[in-house]
Amino acid sequence: RLLYLSEVHRQQAEADFTGPRQELLKSLNMEMRIWHAAPDELIRVEELVQRTNQLNSTGRLYSYQELQAIASSDTHSLLLASLSDLFGDYGTIGVVLCERAHGQWKLLLLLMSCRIMSRGVSPIMLNFVVDMAARQNAELTAVFRDTGRNEAMAMAYKMAGFVEVEREGSGDERLFRAPSNAQPFPAYVVVSYEEPSRLIN
């Protein structure tokens, strides 16, 4: 009920706002938090993976057991993101799964909740991973699999400076190479992250 009421208030504020969209977004006082997934959060991760279609880079359905193995792996990072604004908390709205080995990082999964598409924050997690890879002098590539519903995610890669370098498998998978530097985060969002050292074991 609280989430529903918060969304009603957001929609009303947006309808009443008369200035530029950037000013609207700034007025929302948005904060995004990024952190390494804990074991008791994996059920929520599984739910997001199962339900998110449009902003999902591969559409692969990871099981709870697979997520447990990934979360405890020394060569993978499983990151989550939450978003809040002056009307309340959206909850967990993003997942990143990245494989890290020998200076080569591969983004295996990126998904964001469709609930935040209009908030201009979708590129943040992508640029966060680009920045972390750059700080470790690692080359980052990203897997994209066309599901017929996720072209918005392919566009997100391209807008972030990713370049398609090859197709994998049967042809429905593409591999994108990341730019050497991340784009800056939007000024209208405060971004924080916890324990970044866990990304670079």
Side-chain angles (χ1 to χ4, degrees), residues 49-78:
V49 169
Q50 298 283 339
R51 297 177 182 178
T52 306
N53 297 304
Q54 289 180 293
L55 294 179
N56 186 322
S57 63
T58 66
R60 178 176 171 183
L61 302 180
Y62 290 86
S63 69
Y64 180 76
Q65 290 72 25
E66 287 178 304
L67 293 171
Q68 281 184 310
I70 289 167
S72 61
S73 169
D74 290 335
T75 58
H76 291 79
S77 293
L78 182 60

Side-chain angles (χ1 to χ4, degrees), residues 169-199:
S170 62
D172 61 348
E173 287 193 356
R174 308 180 219 169
L175 193 66
F176 287 86
R177 184 177 63 246
S180 56
N181 294 297
Q183 297 176 1
F185 297 147
Y188 48 77
V189 185
V190 174
V191 180
S192 63
Y193 56 92
E194 301 170 9
E195 300 187 24
S197 61
R198 296 184 66 176
L199 287 171

Side-chain angles (χ1 to χ4, degrees), residues 5-167:
L5 290 175
S6 295
E7 190 56 32
V8 169
H9 293 151
R10 288 187 187 100
Q11 292 177 5
Q12 187 61 54
E14 187 165 359
D16 293 341
F17 197 86
T18 58
R21 181 154 188 81
Q22 292 284 323
E23 290 301 315
L24 167 65
L25 295 175
K26 184 177 179 180
S27 73
L28 294 175
N29 296 332
M30 290 185 287
E31 296 185 13
M32 178 178 281
R33 184 172 68 93
I34 300 172
W35 71 98
H36 193 100
D40 61 357
E41 296 172 309
L42 297 182
I43 291 177
R44 175 56 177 157
V45 175
E46 185 182 23
E47 290 176 352
L48 282 168
V49 169
Q50 298 283 339
R51 297 177 182 178
T52 306
N53 297 304
Q54 289 180 293
L55 294 179
N56 186 322
S57 63
T58 66
R60 178 176 171 183
L61 302 180
Y62 290 86
S63 69
Y64 180 76
Q65 290 72 25
E66 287 178 304
L67 293 171
Q68 281 184 310
I70 289 167
S72 61
S73 169
D74 290 335
T75 58
H76 291 79
S77 293
L78 182 60
L79 302 175
L80 304 182
S82 66
L83 183 69
S84 62
D85 62 17
L86 60 85
F87 297 107
D89 196 340
Y90 287 87
T92 304
I93 49 82
V95 178
V96 160
L97 170 56
C98 190
E99 181 181 50
R100 300 169 287 105
H102 309 298
Q104 300 287 327
W105 289 23
K106 181 177 282 190
L107 187 54
L108 301 177
L109 176 67
L110 170 67
L111 67 84
M112 300 291 290
S113 170
C114 296
R115 292 180 297 131
I116 52 85
M117 286 183 72
S118 65
R119 291 298 173 252
V121 300
S122 299
I124 290 177
M125 286 195 80
L126 181 55
N127 281 296
F128 176 83
V129 178
V130 172
D131 182 62
M132 294 304 297
R135 289 173 183 269
Q136 296 304 307
N137 297 314
E139 181 179 279
L140 174 67
T141 55
V143 177
F144 174 81
R145 177 177 173 270
D146 186 358
T147 66
R149 302 184 64 184
N150 63 346
E151 187 58 30
M153 187 58 78
M155 290 301 299
Y157 280 142
K158 293 175 182 177
M159 291 179 66
F162 282 66
V163 177
E164 184 175 340
V165 291
E166 65 180 73
R167 290 182 179 267

